[in-house]
Amino acid sequence: MTGDQPGAPPTRSGPIGALLHRFGHLIHELSKFATVGGFAFLVDFALFNYLSSGRGMPPLAAKTISTVVAATVAFLGNRFWTWRHRQRSNPAREYALFFFFNGVGLGIAVACLAISRYGLGAIWPAVFQTPLADNIASFIVGTGLGTLFRFWSYRRFVFVEAGTPPVPAPSRDRESGA
């Protein structure tokens, strides 16, 4: 007897193996989310630059339109690929929550762009009121912060796992300590 159990799944030893075993499902979801997000990012980036530079649209309006289009692409990719293994709840609920949280993510990106262009741009217009500064503020800073928020919110509220209990309502019975 060697101590090995026949039929037992192979496990990796060491701290990296333990982390992969514990967080493998999260890494898998995150990589799919990043792929969908990368494609939506390309749609957002191309459309923003086309509208703001090619069509002369103001940067905030161009960013709003490009984000709405990219969000639609992201919803379809996340619903039907990233989290397809999760139970589908009411599609209208998922769609509404997805776009609500995208609205918050859009607010984060637009706020970063507005702070750069109009806040810092009032001090250093030659630096912060340029297409390069708009792209850095919007796509690197704004999209980075918005992506962290979106991943958490989609996973927690939009594409919930089957059997995930709803968040309990706070108890109003203060005397029982509950």
Side-chain angles (χ1 to χ4, degrees):
M1 291 192 156
T2 62
D4 290 338
Q5 297 293 324
T11 58
R12 297 180 186 196
S13 60
I16 300 295
L19 286 173
L20 286 175
H21 178 70
R22 182 173 178 143
F23 296 109
H25 69 285
L26 185 62
I27 293 168
H28 184 70
E29 281 184 354
L30 189 57
S31 65
K32 284 182 166 185
F33 178 78
T35 302
V36 169
F39 184 72
F41 175 84
L42 291 175
V43 169
D44 191 6
F45 182 79
L47 189 56
F48 170 76
N49 283 292
Y50 170 74
L51 293 173
S52 65
S53 296
R55 304 293 292 174
M57 186 178 283
L60 294 180
K63 180 62 181 167
T64 301
I65 291 169
S66 69
T67 300
V68 168
V69 172
T72 302
V73 169
F75 175 79
L76 294 171
N78 283 313
R79 172 70 278 170
F80 296 108
W81 188 52
T82 305
W83 286 295
R84 72 175 175 213
H85 63 282
R86 292 190 174 196
Q87 177 180 347
R88 287 191 170 92
S89 63
N90 181 346
R93 175 198 155 278
E94 285 181 352
Y95 194 74
L97 283 174
F98 185 89
F99 278 92
F100 169 75
F101 290 122
N102 260 298
V104 175
L106 169 63
I108 292 168
V110 170
C112 291
L113 176 59
I115 289 168
S116 173
R117 177 164 269 278
Y118 301 112
L120 297 172
I123 299 168
W124 298 291
V127 174
F128 289 101
Q129 291 184 350
T130 65
L132 177 62
D134 289 346
N135 278 289
I136 290 171
S138 178
F139 290 106
I140 295 176
V141 179
T143 300
L145 294 174
T147 297
L148 293 173
F149 171 78
R150 285 180 182 110
F151 181 74
W152 171 78
S153 63
Y154 297 167
R155 198 168 190 281
R156 174 71 175 95
F157 299 108
V158 181
F159 306 115
V160 296
E161 289 190 79
T164 301
V167 177
S171 176
R172 295 179 189 227
D173 185 13
R174 295 180 189 252
E175 291 179 20
S176 69

